[in-house]
Amino acid sequence: MARLKRSSTVLDKATLRISGMKAISETLEFDNSLNLAEYEKRIQTLQTKLSNYNTMLSTVDEAVGQIELLEQELRSYSEKMLMSVATRYGKNSLQYMQAGGKPRKSSKRSVGNTALKTAPTTTIAAVMTPNTENATTNGDGTKANGTKKS
């Protein structure tokens, strides 16, 4: 994601203000060395620094993009290297593990895993037994033939 470039409201106001002052006089000058030439010099200094800053941000964004591309290329190359080791030595080999691969997991189920055991038969029987009372009545308490349940 590109970094946000910086702008300056102070610079914008100063630029508008100096243009108005130049309309009064091109050589406007006051006491204590306040003059348009110095004002314009300070505006230019900030414009230059701000421009340099935004250029540096663009340069950093470009460098980040290059780094990300190099990381993708290296990730792909690393995967190809690992797959080459797996092809030559096998995925369960010591060499594969030395290269950073993880051995395949065993396909056998563990005997102690209670989550894989079936539910007790009493629970299944209770679920499978139909509720005959509800089967002969409607939801409003009347029997299926229209008479009121007693």
Side-chain angles (χ1 to χ4, degrees):
M1 176 178 213
R3 288 162 177 70
L4 292 176
K5 306 303 184 262
R6 183 145 196 260
S7 61
S8 172
T9 55
V10 173
L11 181 61
D12 295 341
K13 285 181 182 180
T15 304
L16 292 174
R17 187 164 289 158
I18 196 169
S19 64
M21 290 181 179
K22 282 183 178 181
I24 296 171
S25 171
E26 286 288 327
T27 59
L28 194 61
E29 193 167 333
F30 300 102
D31 297 353
N32 303 327
S33 69
L34 293 173
N35 57 58
L36 286 182
E38 179 65 23
Y39 195 26
E40 194 164 16
K41 178 180 154 198
R42 290 172 184 244
I43 290 171
Q44 284 297 327
T45 300
L46 181 55
Q47 282 177 332
T48 303
K49 289 290 182 183
L50 192 59
S51 177
N52 288 343
Y53 173 80
N54 288 333
T55 301
M56 284 188 264
L57 286 181
S58 295
T59 303
V60 169
D61 288 339
E62 180 183 356
V64 167
Q66 291 173 350
I67 288 170
E68 288 172 351
L69 180 63
L70 288 170
E71 283 179 334
Q72 288 174 359
E73 290 173 358
L74 182 58
R75 185 180 304 118
S76 175
Y77 197 85
S78 291
E79 187 177 339
K80 288 177 184 177
M81 290 294 292
L82 183 61
M83 288 300 105
S84 295
V85 170
T87 301
R88 179 170 290 171
Y89 299 103
K91 285 193 172 185
N92 289 327
S93 68
L94 178 63
Q95 292 84 355
Y96 182 71
M97 288 184 276
Q98 286 175 331
K102 295 183 181 176
R104 290 185 173 177
K105 293 184 179 180
S106 175
S107 61
K108 295 178 183 177
R109 290 186 181 176
S110 69
V111 176
N113 191 350
T114 58
L116 296 177
K117 292 182 180 178
T118 59
T121 55
T122 56
T123 305
I124 294 173
V127 171
M128 299 302 290
T129 305
N131 187 346
T132 55
E133 180 183 343
N134 289 338
T136 59
T137 61
N138 291 330
D140 60 359
T142 60
K143 290 192 177 186
N145 62 6
T147 62
K148 193 78 165 159
K149 181 181 170 186
S150 46

